Amino acid sequence: SVTNKHRGRGGSAVYTWEEVQKHCHRSDKWLVIDRKVYNITQWAKRHPGGIRVISHFAGEDATDAFVAFHPDPNFVRKFLKPLLIGELATTEPSQDHGKNAVLVQDFQALRDRVEREGLLRARPLFFSLYLGHILLLEALALGLLWVWGTSWSLTLLCSLMLATSQSQAGWLQHDYGHLSVCKTSSWNHVLHKFVIGHLKGASANWWNHRHFQHHAKPNVFSKDPDVNSLHVFVLGDKQPVEYGIKKLKYMPYHHQHQYFFLIGPPLVIPVFFTIQIFQTMFSQRNWVDLAWAMTFYLRFFCCYYPFFGFFGSVALISFVRFLESHWFVWVTQMNHLPMEIDHERHQDWLTMQLSATCNIEQSTFNDWFSGHLNFQIEHHLFPTMPRHNYHLVAPLVRALCEKHGLPYQVKTLQKAIIDVVGSLKKSGDLWLDAYLHK
């Protein structure tokens, strides 16, 4: 079956990129790491990060993604060994799809420097204090009602404090999910389940399997779940025109920058995510995550039932989720939505991450408000880096981008939020033009 396969050193098979690229189907997946070719067809189903994230690299070079996602590559190599089927022919370049070899090597050199300088090592005190301020907010919200009662104004203040602790717990679970806090993956996983499960009532597996895909292929249609808008919005410059030409009108897209305010920020967490989380836990029979999530709801109702009764407590958690949802949606969209959104373009790691990502200015407030995702570029290049080190690597990343002529965008918080609406309007107008005239 293999036309351009030869025997290399030690009898191992040798392949060309052309041959590797043929194996990119659901029932037949190969990928390349450090010039070695692996058949991941069966392994993908058992992959701890999820089947989808690894399958997005079928037929491709996955070296930079492999290094970025796995804090202990030597441990992972044990699992790789049985999947090895050969290597690239010596005549083949190390990069596929005509990627810029110098750029790729420069980024790998920066990655090595980051590891050498200890920028992937977390400060336990930072994360302990961070967790402390979340627990303190939870306790204060409850103490407020305990001491002063449940007037409308105090209930509102309690809701704002809970929404703040929920949002901040959201940024903290994100740190654990990326394995960026503890030395061992297993401790990261346990604490991740505690923070996302017990403190937030959500599922660690649901989050990871969704979020790793976003990191692997940000703003790539059909690979990044965050740009799968289920026909409710058209995004970027290409999709609106495709919908317009096909005369697809599931929604009045030329008004999407207006209806976004009604169905985006208010509903993503309380409706869309909540349904998705429970669907995922039940359909995948993920009873461990379900048990963790149940401890959240149990604690919440034990705390607030005496004050508000059952339906009052349901109303409270719904209102808290509604408030948190606005915070979450604006922060997560402002780094990515106004950037390039396209089909798979086979870019190198650095170029792909920078075309899909922008930063927000550094300030103490912005750091806290966004969970340090104002350094979204650095976070996307080094997902396992603890967030308190982003500002240290940022100048090095900026210099690398200048050297290779890559745009490194930094905006004010205000401009970033306005750009979200502007990009939705631009896409909606592109759709209308194509719908009417093409």
Side-chain angles (χ1 to χ4, degrees):
S1 67
V2 182
T3 47
N4 30 17
K5 177 171 111 174
H6 316 284
R7 289 280 151 201
R9 292 188 306 275
S12 72
V14 175
Y15 302 96
T16 63
W17 278 117
E18 189 188 354
E19 175 63 26
V20 171
Q21 284 158 9
K22 290 175 189 163
H23 301 268
C24 62
H25 309 287
R26 191 169 268 179
S27 57
D28 177 24
K29 293 178 248 203
W30 293 6
L31 54 70
V32 176
I33 298 168
D34 289 326
R35 298 190 62 93
K36 292 189 165 65
V37 182
Y38 299 93
N39 182 344
I40 57 155
T41 312
Q42 293 307 315
W43 166 248
K45 302 183 186 85
R46 302 204 307 278
H47 180 235
I51 184 171
R52 290 192 171 150
V53 64
I54 193 170
S55 302
H56 292 336
F57 291 94
E60 296 181 23
D61 179 63
T63 307
D64 286 333
F66 175 81
V67 172
F69 287 129
H70 301 103
D72 184 0
N74 293 327
F75 171 71
V76 188
R77 284 185 207 283
K78 293 178 196 166
F79 297 90
L80 278 175
K81 212 168 232 167
L83 313 176
L84 182 68
I85 53 169
E87 57 189 77
L88 290 173
T90 47
T91 49
E92 292 291 295
S94 291
Q95 284 74 40
D96 54 350
H97 295 285
K99 291 169 188 167
N100 179 340
V102 179
L103 188 155
V104 173
Q105 282 155 11
D106 281 356
F107 175 72
Q108 286 168 351
L110 173 60
R111 166 83 201 189
D112 292 341
R113 180 177 172 181
V114 159
E115 286 188 30
R116 264 202 323 278
E117 294 185 7
L119 294 178
L120 298 179
R121 282 204 295 278
R123 294 205 305 268
L125 183 64
F126 174 91
F127 290 101
S128 305
L129 291 172
Y130 207 90
L131 177 61
H133 107 284
I134 292 165
L135 298 175
L136 184 67
L137 276 166
E138 293 267 337
L140 285 173
L142 191 61
L144 199 69
L145 303 178
W146 204 259
V147 177
W148 284 301
T150 56
S151 66
W152 278 107
S153 54
L154 281 169
T155 303
L156 179 64
L157 183 58
C158 170
S159 304
L160 289 168
M161 290 167 80
L162 286 173
T164 304
S165 75
Q166 282 297 304
S167 292
Q168 292 300 329
W171 306 142
L172 184 61
Q173 69 81 17
H174 174 249
D175 297 317
Y176 287 111
H178 277 297
L179 312 176
S180 72
V181 184
C182 306
K183 281 203 174 80
T184 65
S185 293
S186 48
W187 270 108
N188 277 305
H189 287 307
V190 171
L191 287 164
H192 187 216
K193 288 195 189 296
F194 169 74
V195 176
I196 198 173
H198 182 67
L199 297 184
K200 290 191 64 61
S203 158
N205 272 12
W206 163 81
W207 171 264
N208 283 346
H209 291 186
R210 179 190 170 89
H211 191 64
F212 296 161
Q213 291 182 74
H214 159 70
H215 270 271
K217 298 285 184 179
N219 285 12
V220 175
F221 286 123
S222 80
K223 293 190 175 184
D224 178 359
D226 292 9
V227 293
N228 174 12
S229 59
L230 304 167
H231 304 310
V232 179
F233 302 101
V234 284
L235 306 175
D237 297 341
K238 303 272 173 70
Q239 192 183 44
V241 178
E242 290 167 8
Y243 272 50
I245 290 169
K246 291 178 186 164
K247 308 300 173 210
L248 296 175
K249 187 183 180 178
Y250 298 98
M251 299 284 280
Y253 297 123
H254 51 304
H255 294 300
Q256 66 177 5
H257 61 293
Q258 292 157 322
Y259 66 70
F260 173 75
F261 288 91
L262 294 174
I263 59 181
L267 299 184
V268 163
I269 287 180
V271 177
F272 181 64
F273 276 6
T274 305
I275 291 170
Q276 215 187 30
I277 286 163
F278 280 97
Q279 266 184 336
T280 305
M281 290 192 293
F282 280 104
S283 68
Q284 295 181 355
R285 295 185 172 76
N286 192 342
W287 311 129
V288 174
D289 280 10
L290 186 64
W292 275 109
M294 284 301 111
T295 67
F296 165 81
Y297 287 102
L298 203 64
R299 174 177 59 91
F300 189 87
F301 282 102
C302 284
C303 289
Y304 293 98
Y305 180 83
F307 297 104
F308 301 110
F310 178 73
F311 291 108
S313 301
V314 171
L316 179 66
I317 187 63
S318 304
F319 183 57
V320 169
R321 296 254 193 260
F322 167 84
L323 293 174
E324 179 203 355
S325 190
H326 285 82
W327 191 334
F328 174 83
V329 169
W330 287 110
V331 170
T332 53
Q333 295 313 302
M334 66 190 185
N335 299 112
H336 295 298
L337 199 76
M339 306 303 289
E340 292 177 27
I341 305 175
D342 207 339
H343 299 284
E344 177 64 77
R345 289 182 289 175
H346 300 293
Q347 294 169 307
D348 65 86
W349 185 253
L350 182 67
T351 307
M352 172 179 71
Q353 300 295 352
L354 275 141
S355 71
T357 314
C358 67
N359 275 6
I360 314 301
E361 284 180 346
Q362 195 274 329
S363 71
T364 306
F365 174 78
N366 286 359
D367 289 352
W368 175 83
F369 180 73
S370 69
H372 288 83
L373 295 182
N374 47 340
F375 289 101
Q376 190 79 329
I377 290 171
E378 289 68 31
H379 170 55
H380 264 258
L381 292 176
F382 309 104
T384 61
M385 179 181 287
R387 60 157 108 168
H388 49 66
N389 289 341
Y390 295 158
H391 71 102
L392 298 172
V393 78
L396 306 176
V397 172
R398 193 190 277 257
L400 182 59
C401 291
E402 274 170 20
K403 177 183 172 182
H404 289 283
L406 291 171
Y408 182 99
Q409 282 191 44
V410 184
K411 303 176 182 181
T412 63
L413 186 62
Q414 188 184 2
K415 181 171 175 5
I417 286 172
I418 292 167
D419 283 355
V420 169
V421 184
S423 76
L424 285 168
K425 183 175 185 340
K426 181 186 168 198
S427 300
D429 292 343
L430 284 169
W431 168 81
L432 186 64
D433 178 61
Y435 186 78
L436 295 176
H437 307 300
K438 291 187 177 171

